[in-house]
Amino acid sequence: MNSYDPHQPAGYPRRVLIAVSGLSPQIVTETIYALAADQDEAFVPTEVHLLTTATGAQRAELSLLSEDLGWFHKLQADFHLPGIAFDRSHIHVMRDAQGKPLGDIRTPADNQAAADFITAQVRAFTADDACALHASIAGGRKTMGFYLGYALSLYGRAQDRLSHVLVSEPFESSYDFFYPTPYSRVLRLLNNQLADSVNAQVTLANIPFVSLRHGLPSALLAGTASFNDTVEAAIAALAPPRLRLHLRGQYIVAGTTRIALPPAELALLAVFARRAEMGKEPLPAPAKGVPDKDWATIYLREYRRITGNDAENQDPTHRALRKGMDGEYFSIHKSRLHKTLKNTLGPSANAYLIADGGTRPRLYQLALNADAIAFEETVV
């Protein structure tokens, strides 16, 4: 755990600005200027990362980093900004499914590749607890800004921010404007109009977003899931819980997620699902060290429905429970069941766990409505 205040992103040691751009790389300098000049919450990034196309990367390098223009370096010098890490390695070119640089985003496949690329970048930065991420959606094609904002909604944390920069007229559409200079600089704009950049105004429009991060399974937070997979996981986490048990298929469908379960864990879940479906009362667990024949009977009934095995002398589970089920057997398989559900479903697993009521004596139940449970006997 860190001691940083998520309400004060400027206090984080790593402050990242991530932006998307196409043919307007000045979004980088405009956003840095607006962030640093913010009277209420000045935020000077320690590093900048630009997500763009192959064409956009070339334009960004020439206009922001070259010796002839170098507007990023001029911005730092003009406003005495502390060192901000931004060089060619911080310009990330989006790639297609074959790993080739995208020259533009025009086809559905290009859009999918861009979505996955942007999602992966946001996921990586938000995995660092010492990092405050600021995402700007002002540049690039509209779909790029949408994907960046959506990715931040999926993975963003309390210290992360989303914004758009607003540039006053007539500078907004000028390829030669990069930020309001602290000195006179006359620009030739469209229709041969002249304007002095010292008079320009650049403001930051903060965009609130709903964070869905805490509804995502831990595997998606740490893995390499695609944009579509992540969105589906978020939708599943927000959907009303529904449980389908495919006993002979040895799997369940929790919401929209299919989960394979070993017979021992599936049988335990089936016991409580059956009781919930029938509206029966919560059930005490068997006592530790004391075999309970009644518990073994209801458990093995579900187990046989799963395995189809009635050969008690040959099946190890039948032999283990010949004298009854004790509390240790119950706890072991309940823990394994819960671990699988939590790893697969994340926080949304809570609806499918076997709850103990929270008070003594412990009475266990599956807290789902009867109409949210169904037993499917078809093997898929």
Side-chain angles (χ1 to χ4, degrees), residues 180-194:
T181 52
Y183 46 80
S184 178
R185 178 175 176 258
V186 178
L187 306 179
R188 186 182 297 276
L189 306 176
L190 297 177
N191 301 321
N192 289 323
Q193 182 180 4
L194 299 178

Side-chain angles (χ1 to χ4, degrees), residues 4-16 35 40-46 130-134 157-161 206:
Y4 313 121
D5 183 357
H7 299 291
Q8 301 291 332
Y12 280 69
R14 187 185 185 197
R15 302 178 300 279
V16 175
L35 285 171
D40 298 322
E41 191 179 3
F43 179 93
V44 179
T46 58
C131 170
L133 182 65
H134 191 107
R157 305 149 303 171
Q159 70 265 34
D160 300 323
R161 300 290 184 269
N206 282 300

Side-chain angles (χ1 to χ4, degrees), residues 62-77:
L62 292 175
S63 61
L64 300 177
L65 301 175
S66 68
E67 292 184 8
D68 292 334
L69 296 177
W71 281 107
F72 168 73
H73 302 301
K74 290 179 181 179
L75 172 70
Q76 287 186 292

